[in-house]
Every structure is written in C-alpha cells, then in structure tokens.
C-alpha cells in the first residue's frame, strides 16, 4: 500500500497527500477567491458551522479547474478503476474562525469527497473520521480524499493561530449520474 494511503477498516481507504505543482502565489490567489465569494454570516449548510461559499461558485474558474483535475488524478486507480470518468457535483470553500466547527455528517449520495487545505497551522482543528477514530491534522496544500459515506467532523477551531481555510467537494462517477446538475464540471 502506498505511503499516501491510510487503511481505514478493511473496506475503504483515505488518501492524504501534498498536492504538488502549485505556488504560494496560487495558494493566496485561491484563498482570496474564497473570501470574495463567502455567503452571508447566517446563510448556510446545516453541518458546517463556519463561513463558506455556495456550491456552484467555482466551476468556471481556471485555478479551481486545475486543482480539480489533480484531485481526480490523485484517486483514479487507487480508490477507483483508472478508466472511470468523474463528475464534480459540488465544490465550496470554507473559512473556520475561532470556535467554528462541523458536526458529524456524510456526503451521500456522492461517491468520493475531498478536502484541500489552503491555510492551516499547528492550532488548526483536525478532520476527524468518527467511525474509525482517525484524525488528520491540516497543513497547507494537504489533500484528503475519502469515500463520501464515511462519517466525519471538525472540532471547534482554536482561538490561537490562523483561520483554517479549505476547498472541499464531492464527485460521482459519470455512469452513476441520473441527471447532471447544470453546474457539474467534467473531469476525466
């Protein structure tokens, strides 16, 4: 098994690796795009108790498209058959400030989910996979790819340190889509 794959139970795997090929300038530019597209303070997802963008904000953005292509390349042939084509059905950015958190949840009916950390430090809250008691500490440019059915959460963000900023998304195999949402991105 690759050093970038962590075994979780016998029936699934989680990929945790550094996303390569991006600069500090790229990271700061993407963070700025997330900040520019945040929803109002009270608008939100039920699971996520932090500021976030809407789902469909980034589908036409070239910087995000490049990231999404690398996300798909990171799991094809590892978690899924290499010939499978994927549709990205949700992408959103999140900013965790002190005391922000996410309640335990799944991303069904999606098949694969991911988190890409853009800003984090030693005080940032981990991503917790509840059923297997795995905690992944965030680091800049760390990509975590996991089966969407895994329960996961984020404990309250510390009052020390920086904002925890990330890009997240969900994917479905193209052959599993009944109807593509109009904002779906095609990723080979």
């Amino acid at each position: 098994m690759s050093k970038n794959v962590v075994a979780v139970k016998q029936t699934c795997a989680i990929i945790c690796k550094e996303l390569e090929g991006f600069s500090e300038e790229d990271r700061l530019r993407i963070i700025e795009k997330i900040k520019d597209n945040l929803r109002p303070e009270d608008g939100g997802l039920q699971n996520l108790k932090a500021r976030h963008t809407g789902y469909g904000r980034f589908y036409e953005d070239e910087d995000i498209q490049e990231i999404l292509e690398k996300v798909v390349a990171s799991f094809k042939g590892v978690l899924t058959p290499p010939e499978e084509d994927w549709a990205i059905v949700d992408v959103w950015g999140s900013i965790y400030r002190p005391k922000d958190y996410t309640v335990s949840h799944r991303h069904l009916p999606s098949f694969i989910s991911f988190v890409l950390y853009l800003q984090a430090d030693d005080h940032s809250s981990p991503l917790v996979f509840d059923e297997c008691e795995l905690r992944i500490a965030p680091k800049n440019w760390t990509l975590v790819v996991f089966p969407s059915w895994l329960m996961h959460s984020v404990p309250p963000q510390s009052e020390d340190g920086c904002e925890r900023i990330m890009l997240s998304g969900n994917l479905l195999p193209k052959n599993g889509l009944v109807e593509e949402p109009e904002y779906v991105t095609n990723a080979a």
Side-chain angles (χ1 to χ4, degrees):
M1 190 174 307
S2 167
K3 68 178 183 175
N4 293 328
V5 177
V6 178
V8 181
K9 301 187 180 183
Q10 293 181 345
T11 57
C12 85
I14 294 171
I15 295 173
C16 183
K17 63 184 272 183
E18 181 179 347
L19 195 63
E20 298 176 341
F22 295 98
S23 68
E24 179 67 7
E25 180 180 290
D26 294 331
R27 186 180 73 82
L28 295 173
R29 187 174 55 252
I30 294 165
I31 287 171
E32 197 59 38
K33 288 178 183 189
I34 289 171
K35 288 182 175 183
D36 289 346
N37 286 282
L38 290 173
R39 295 178 65 148
E41 291 276 347
D42 62 346
L45 304 169
Q46 294 178 3
N47 303 324
L48 180 59
K49 309 303 181 191
R51 296 287 310 276
H52 59 88
T53 66
Y55 284 131
R57 294 276 189 198
F58 299 120
Y59 289 104
E60 303 301 321
D61 186 280
E62 289 180 21
D63 290 326
I64 304 299
Q65 287 297 317
E66 186 178 354
I67 287 172
L68 297 176
E69 288 171 13
K70 289 192 177 204
V71 167
V72 171
S74 75
F75 68 80
K76 284 179 83 168
V78 178
L79 295 180
T80 64
E83 67 279 358
E84 186 77 62
D85 288 329
W86 292 88
I88 296 162
V89 294
D90 301 309
V91 177
W92 65 97
S94 306
I95 298 180
Y96 288 73
R97 296 177 297 192
K99 299 183 182 177
D100 287 350
Y101 64 98
T102 299
V103 298
S104 187
H105 66 287
R106 299 182 159 96
H107 290 263
L108 298 176
S110 296
F111 190 80
I112 297 286
S113 297
F114 73 89
V115 172
L116 174 63
Y117 294 105
L118 297 166
Q119 180 174 291
D121 63 18
D122 292 341
H123 300 285
S124 296
S125 295
L127 174 60
V128 178
F129 291 95
D130 305 318
E131 296 166 321
C132 55
E133 300 177 8
L134 177 66
R135 301 168 72 86
I136 298 177
K139 293 182 180 152
N140 294 351
W141 288 119
T142 296
L143 173 67
V144 182
V145 182
F146 56 95
S148 299
W149 54 263
L150 274 178
M151 293 292 289
H152 57 284
S153 61
V154 177
Q157 176 73 0
S158 169
E159 293 192 31
D160 300 325
C162 68
E163 293 177 317
R164 178 184 185 268
I165 302 177
M166 53 198 261
L167 187 69
S168 302
N170 296 315
L171 299 93
L172 282 170
K174 282 188 181 178
N175 67 5
L177 288 177
V178 175
E179 182 179 320
E180 284 191 7
E182 61 184 63
Y183 58 83
V184 160
T185 296
N186 295 320

